[in-house]
Amino acid sequence: MLRAENLFKTFGAFQVTKGVSLEIPTGLRHAIIGPNGAGKTTLFNILAGELKPDEGRILIDGQDVTSFAPDRRARRGLSRSFQKNNLFLSGTVRDNLMVADIVARGYGSHFWTRLSDNRRAREKTSAVAEQVGLAELLDRGVSELSYGAQRQLEVGLALMPDPKVLLLDEPTSGMSPEETGRMLQLIDDLPRDLAVLLIEHDMDLVFSHADRITVLNYGEILMEGTPQEVRGSDIVQETYLGGKAQ
Ligand SMILES: Nc1ncnc2c1ncn2[C@@H]1O[C@H](COP(=O)(O)OP(=O)(O)O)[C@@H](O)[C@H]1O
Ligand SMILES: [Mg+2]
C-alpha cells in the first residue's frame, strides 16, 4: 500500500535520511522506533510530501507520488497526524471533525451544497468519533478535553479522509500510562484494511502492538523485523537498548 525506495535527505551538510526503504502492505501495523534525532519525523515529512527527498521514490498503492504535494497524496489515501497539537481549540470535537471533512473534500468545490453531503459528513463524524473513543464528547469544547482525549481527536482528524495508510507521529508522547494504553488500544482496533505506520520512541510500548518494526538510527535503518526479531537482535540491543534499564 505504501512503498518508500532508497530515500535520502540532507539539511545543509547534515544527512538526516540515508537510504531508507519501507514497504507497508494493506492493514499492517508497522512501527518506526529510534532515539530522538534519528530522523523519524523527517521520514514522515518526506512520506507525506511536506519535504522533498534528494533521492528516492514513494509509491502509494503502486502509483509513484514522489512529485505530489501533500493534499494530492492525501487524496491517494495517505493521511497523517502531527507530533504537535494541530487542533482548532475554540471549537467542539464535532466542529473539528467537520472541518477536517471539508478539508478532505477540497475547500469550496462541493462544500456540503447538498443536504445529502451534510448528512454524510455528520454520519462520518459520528463514526470517526466512535473509532477514537470520543462518541460521548462530540459536543464538548476541545479546550475542555483532557490531553489524552485531544490526542485521540487528532487521530480522528487524520481518519476523516478515509485513508488507506495512516501515519501517526508519536501519538502517545506526553501521555500518562493510562492514556497511552487507551491510545494503543484504539490503534489496535482501527479497521484491519487500514495500514498504520506509527512512530514511537519507546520501543517497549510497540512490542505488543506492531506487526513489524523498523529501527532507525542516525537516519539509517539499523534493522527491520518482527517485534521478536528486533527484541532478540544483538545490534539493536547494543546500539539502541545499551544501558537502558529493562
Ligand atoms: N528543517 C530542518 N533543518 C535542519 N535540520 C533539521 C530539520 N528538521 C530536522 N532536522 C534535524 O534532523 C535530525 C532528525 O530530526 P527528526 O526527523 O525530527 O528526528 P526524530 O523525529 O527521530 O526525533 C535532527 O538532528 C534535527 O535537528
Ligand atoms: Mg520526531
Side-chain angles (χ1 to χ4, degrees), residues 20-185:
V20 172
S21 298
L22 287 172
E23 197 169 334
I24 321 289
T26 305
L28 204 84
R29 269 47 172 167
H30 191 122
I32 296 183
I33 59 176
N36 270 332
K40 304 181 298 297
T41 297
T42 301
L43 177 61
F44 263 28
N45 289 337
I46 295 171
L47 294 174
E50 275 118 33
L51 280 177
K52 201 175 143 32
D54 301 330
E55 263 182 65
R57 295 204 307 165
I58 295 149
L59 294 95
I60 301 172
D61 205 3
Q63 186 182 21
D64 188 334
V65 299
T66 317
S67 65
F68 287 18
D71 58 334
R72 216 166 147 212
R73 292 188 199 194
R75 284 195 294 278
R76 298 295 312 175
L78 186 77
S79 191
R80 74 169 304 180
S81 79
F82 290 84
Q83 193 173 5
K84 289 195 192 103
N85 209 301
N86 198 33
L87 301 170
F88 153 40
L89 286 170
S90 60
T92 62
V93 170
R94 190 193 304 278
D95 295 336
N96 273 264
L97 292 170
M98 294 290 262
V99 169
D101 183 70
I102 296 170
V103 172
R105 293 162 60 79
Y107 296 96
S109 52
H110 30 229
F111 175 174
W112 305 330
T113 45
R114 292 178 311 201
L115 207 54
S116 58
D117 285 342
N118 187 306
R119 208 173 102 200
R120 187 207 48 79
R122 292 192 155 266
E123 282 168 4
K124 177 78 192 159
T125 297
S126 302
V128 166
E130 182 79 44
Q131 280 182 323
V132 298
L134 298 175
E136 312 295 312
L137 300 175
L138 265 172
D139 295 307
R140 198 66 69 82
V142 169
S143 56
E144 295 168 48
L145 298 181
S146 67
Y147 175 73
Q150 289 188 352
R151 306 247 24 206
Q152 285 165 239
L153 177 54
E154 290 193 56
V155 176
L157 299 186
L159 287 171
M160 285 304 286
D162 270 326
K164 298 176 196 160
V165 183
L166 179 64
L167 309 183
L168 299 174
D169 193 351
E170 299 201 24
T172 67
S173 71
M175 285 189 168
S176 68
E178 194 196 333
E179 288 173 325
T180 297
R182 200 175 303 134
M183 178 61 86
L184 290 172
Q185 187 61 49

